[in-house]
Amino acid sequence: KQEVTQIPAALSVPEGENLVLNCSFTDSAIYNLQWFRQDPGKGLTSLLLIQSSQREQTSGRLNASLDKSSGRSTLYIAASQPGDSATYLCAVPSGGYNKLIFGAGTRLAVHP
Amino acid sequence: GAVVSQHPSWVICKSGTSVKIECRSLDFQATTMFWYRQFPKQSLMLMATSNEGSKATYEQGVEKDKFLINHASLTLSTLTVTSAHPEDSSFYICSARDPGRDQETQYFGPGTRLLVL
């Protein structure tokens, strides 16, 4: 049974810091791994999707890496801004593409 | 592109009533839609997979007679919470795949917050 864990559960940092959010999964036989952002009371916004054959993906100040063999992914946020404050979720598909297994998320607060 | 909407965004109802939530793909046709539930400070849990023109596939532990799913068209899926009780209060989020774009990415709606009194 696939399980996804995210560490830390919460993070509060001053503006400008570089951050690393961690995601681990128990079953390394994954097709891909996806990082999402969720603002309070809102739906999910897809940030990055890394295929199982890829090592990393970049979008602007975000960089996600994937180490399938060790069951880990990290989301690196450079030069954090207050607008980055949100909950960040990682998810992997299980049993094909249909069922996404989500971690509990990391709640990030970036203060000015 | 790939926009998913939900209606209503929030609803308050009395215990014992039924509530219908709509999920629409606005600019693409979605043969498959997904319904998730999220309790406070917990992650999303898949409830069911909704297939256009056929019965939904429910996850283990989700009562299909309580959470009725209808996917009558390629752009609309509905979730009806029947005889709602306070423990059904949650944040319900739908997602959809755009087969014309790729088979992997799910596009999420903004969610519906349900409060049962």
Side-chain angles (χ1 to χ4, degrees), chain B residues 40-85:
Chain B
K41 296 190 177 181
Q42 295 186 27
S43 194
L44 281 77
M45 297 292 290
L46 180 66
M47 298 175 66
T49 301
S50 171
N51 302 297
E52 187 267 336
S54 65
K55 291 183 179 180
T57 304
Y58 290 82
E59 294 299 305
Q60 191 173 8
V62 177
E63 299 174 59
K64 62 180 180 181
D65 295 329
K66 180 171 183 62
F67 298 99
L68 301 179
I69 292 173
N70 184 285
H71 193 158
S73 79
L74 287 171
T75 60
L76 174 64
S77 175
T78 60
L79 169 67
T80 300
V81 183
T82 62
S83 186
H85 291 285

Side-chain angles (χ1 to χ4, degrees), chain A residues 51-88:
Chain A
Q51 299 290 351
S52 61
S53 58
Q54 296 176 317
R55 297 285 292 180
E56 63 179 74
Q57 277 280 3
T58 298
S59 176
R61 293 183 294 108
L62 304 180
N63 176 276
S65 67
L66 174 63
D67 184 342
K68 227 178 91 166
S69 60
S70 67
R72 293 178 184 176
S73 176
T74 60
L75 178 66
Y76 177 82
I77 303 176
S80 59
Q81 303 171 357
D84 295 330
S85 298
T87 296
Y88 291 81

Side-chain angles (χ1 to χ4, degrees), chain A residues 9-60:
Chain A
L11 190 60
S12 180
V13 299
E15 182 177 6
E17 278 204 6
N18 300 324
L19 310 171
V20 176
L21 309 182
N22 298 292
C23 172
S24 61
F25 45 95
T26 54
D27 185 351
S28 61
I30 59 171
Y31 291 111
N32 58 54
L33 183 143
Q34 199 162 359
W35 282 94
F36 294 89
R37 169 186 172 136
Q38 184 178 29
D39 292 285
K42 304 291 185 182
L44 276 65
T45 301
S46 178
L47 297 174
L48 291 164
L49 184 150
I50 313 176
Q51 299 290 351
S52 61
S53 58
Q54 296 176 317
R55 297 285 292 180
E56 63 179 74
Q57 277 280 3
T58 298
S59 176

Side-chain angles (χ1 to χ4, degrees), chain A residues 32 38 43 51 98-99 102-103, chain B residues 38 43 59 97 104 106 110:
Chain A
N32 58 54
Q38 184 178 29
Q51 299 290 351
N98 278 354
K99 183 171 183 175
F102 284 85
Chain B
Q38 184 180 34
S43 194
E59 294 299 305
R97 277 209 301 259
E104 298 180 69
Q106 292 184 25

